[in-house]
Amino acid sequence: MHIVNITDIRQNASKIITRVVESGEPAVVLQRSKPVVYIVGASAYEEMLRKLEAAENLFRVAETKNTLQEITRLREKMARRGKQQDSVPLIRELREGRVR
């Protein structure tokens, strides 16, 4: 990763951008010795967005799977009770995460 400071950006922005594009290596811009901005090529940025979206989709799938498992447990618990009872206690247990 190439490290530049704010002054370098002001004076040599086009050179820094060209280096990032040609090498594919990102640059980090420091201000008072702290990173404030990363400069990455457009294709690298778009690839990061695609990977982030894929990760978010996997997370949603996992959440959905967990929710369906909780619903299955709730149905099994209701079936074990045999008769139709007031569902308020079961719903409360489900909300509080006590249904197992």
Side-chain angles (χ1 to χ4, degrees):
M1 183 173 309
H2 185 64
I3 300 172
V4 296
N5 61 41
I6 293 290
T7 304
D8 292 337
I9 290 292
R10 286 187 198 129
Q11 296 172 354
N12 303 309
S14 63
K15 288 180 184 179
I16 294 167
I17 291 170
T18 299
R19 180 178 178 176
V20 167
V21 170
E22 288 177 354
S23 70
E25 182 181 308
V28 60
V29 180
L30 303 179
Q31 185 176 30
R32 296 185 181 107
S33 300
K34 294 181 183 177
V36 291
V37 173
Y38 289 89
I39 301 173
V40 297
S43 61
Y45 178 76
E46 290 166 359
E47 181 65 21
M48 284 188 280
L49 288 179
R50 280 192 292 276
K51 288 179 180 180
L52 179 60
E53 184 178 341
E56 288 172 344
N57 287 340
L58 286 174
F59 180 73
R60 276 189 237 117
V61 166
E63 281 185 324
T64 302
K65 182 179 176 182
N66 290 339
T67 300
L68 290 173
Q69 288 173 344
E70 286 296 320
I71 290 170
T72 300
R73 282 191 209 109
L74 179 60
R75 285 182 177 167
E76 289 170 356
K77 186 172 184 176
M78 290 174 72
R80 283 193 303 269
R81 289 189 175 185
K83 62 179 184 173
Q84 186 72 23
Q85 294 184 359
D86 183 13
S87 62
V88 172
L90 280 175
I91 293 170
R92 185 175 296 125
E93 287 178 21
L94 181 63
R95 262 195 231 133
E96 294 172 0
R98 294 185 290 151
V99 176
R100 296 288 167 216

